[in-house]
């Protein structure tokens, strides 16, 4: 007579039922990039610009403080004009131009960034051009600190994008601006940032040389090390 198996006890040799865990969640997806739009037609920009001139009368703002206040107002208006892209662009462009006249580099970069978020422009290239323009008149206690802050942000952005020439251009122009007496206290900081850019450019040149060497000799140990340092 075969042995009895107690009720509830699994028979010898039987396999336990698999335990199902919670369903595996899909990996998080990066947020979709906002759609950027073409620049408004020149005729439309002029039409909206005339309307803005009639309402805000920028020609009547004579002092730097008055122009700066209007630039700040234009930036806010541009950032709020979500339903009208053409109006948004013109307000932001006016904010950028007025801020440039007053040599407020931080405000200029804020306007350029807002334009780049919504419109099809090369944002980094625009920042380099506008900082170059602002730097020509940055020579006092108000404009140089703003230039140093804005330049540092753009240099970091350029380095992150491997745009070493752009980073070098900005590092050089802010270094020149800080030769003015008002820039004395920023010279050490600016020089350190300039050295950081020069180091990155040197490593970039070595990386390109190493890549060329590996195309000819894939087992070149020195070239492999240089490439590894760049990616590390």
């Amino acid at each position: 007579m075969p042995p009895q198996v107690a009720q509830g006890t699994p028979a010898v040799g039987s396999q336990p039922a698999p335990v199902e865990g919670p369903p595996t969640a899909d990996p998080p997806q990066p947020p979709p990039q906002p759609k950027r739009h073409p620049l408004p037609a020149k005729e439309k920009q002029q039409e909206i610009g005339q309307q803005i001139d009639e309402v805000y009368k920028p020609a009547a703002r004579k002092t730097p403080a008055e122009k700066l206040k209007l630039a700040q107002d234009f930036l806010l208006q541009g950032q709020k004009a979500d339903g009208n892209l053409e109006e948004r662009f013109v307000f932001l462009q006016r904010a950028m131009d007025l801020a440039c006249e007053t040599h407020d580099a931080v405000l200029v970069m804020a306007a350029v960034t807002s334009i780049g978020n919504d419109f099809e422009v090369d944002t980094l290239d625009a920042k380099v051009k506008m900082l170059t323009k602002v730097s020509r008149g940055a020579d006092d206690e108000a404009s140089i600190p703003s230039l140093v802050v804005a330049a540092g942000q753009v240099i970091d952005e350029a380095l992150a994008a491997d745009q070493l020439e752009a980073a070098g251009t900005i590092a050089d122009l802010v270094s020149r601006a800080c030769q003015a007496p008002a820039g004395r206290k920023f010279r050490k900081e600016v020089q350190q940032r300039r050295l950081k850019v020069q180091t990155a450019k040197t490593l970039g040149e070595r990386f390109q040389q190493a890549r060329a060497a590996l195309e000819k000799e894939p087992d070149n140990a020195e070239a492999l090390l240089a490439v590894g340092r760049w990616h590390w």
Side-chain angles (χ1 to χ4, degrees):
M1 182 176 183
Q4 299 294 318
V5 178
Q7 187 175 2
T9 301
V12 177
S14 65
Q15 297 295 325
V19 178
E20 295 185 1
T24 303
D26 293 332
Q29 298 297 318
Q33 293 296 319
K35 180 181 178 181
R36 300 206 301 172
H37 305 272
L39 297 182
K42 291 290 185 182
E43 296 78 9
K44 192 63 179 180
Q45 292 183 38
Q46 293 173 354
E47 177 187 336
I48 296 173
Q50 290 173 355
Q51 295 171 357
I52 291 174
D53 290 344
E54 291 173 3
V55 174
Y56 292 91
K57 297 178 172 54
R61 316 298 174 103
K62 302 298 184 182
T63 68
E66 290 174 334
K67 292 180 179 181
L68 182 59
K69 176 62 170 62
L70 187 58
Q72 294 167 340
D73 291 343
F74 282 170
L75 179 63
L76 290 175
Q77 290 295 330
Q79 292 174 339
K80 291 193 301 185
D82 294 330
N84 189 327
L85 287 169
E86 296 166 333
E87 184 177 291
R88 178 179 177 83
F89 176 79
V90 177
F91 267 120
L92 292 173
Q93 188 178 54
R94 290 297 185 90
M96 179 184 71
D97 292 340
L98 275 173
C100 188
E101 286 185 37
T102 62
H103 312 300
D104 190 320
V106 171
L107 189 56
V108 171
M109 293 300 99
V112 175
T113 298
S114 292
I115 291 173
N117 287 341
D118 288 318
F119 298 94
E120 295 172 351
V121 299
D122 185 333
T123 309
L124 181 58
D125 182 65
K127 288 180 177 181
V128 172
K129 290 178 179 177
M130 293 306 300
L131 276 181
T132 301
K133 190 173 180 181
V134 173
S135 71
R136 295 180 185 131
D139 57 5
D140 58 25
E141 297 286 348
S143 57
I144 286 184
S146 180
L147 178 64
V148 171
V149 171
Q153 294 171 348
V154 176
I155 287 172
D156 289 343
E157 182 180 338
L159 290 176
D162 291 337
Q163 297 295 321
L164 303 182
E165 289 301 321
T169 297
I170 298 302
D172 289 344
L173 69 84
V174 73
S175 177
R176 287 194 297 270
C178 285
Q179 298 310 303
R184 182 184 302 275
K185 62 183 177 182
F186 300 104
R187 289 174 189 169
K188 182 177 180 180
E189 173 189 345
V190 167
Q191 182 62 18
Q192 289 174 340
R193 189 171 288 131
R194 196 178 185 192
L195 288 173
K196 178 181 177 181
V197 172
Q198 290 173 344
T199 299
K201 291 179 72 173
T202 299
L203 290 175
E205 291 170 358
R206 290 177 181 173
F207 171 71
Q208 295 300 333
Q209 293 169 357
R211 285 188 60 184
L214 287 174
E215 290 179 1
K216 298 178 180 178
E217 188 181 352
D219 295 330
N220 186 313
E222 184 177 351
L224 286 169
L225 180 60
V227 170
R229 284 174 177 169
W230 175 259
H231 289 294
W232 183 79

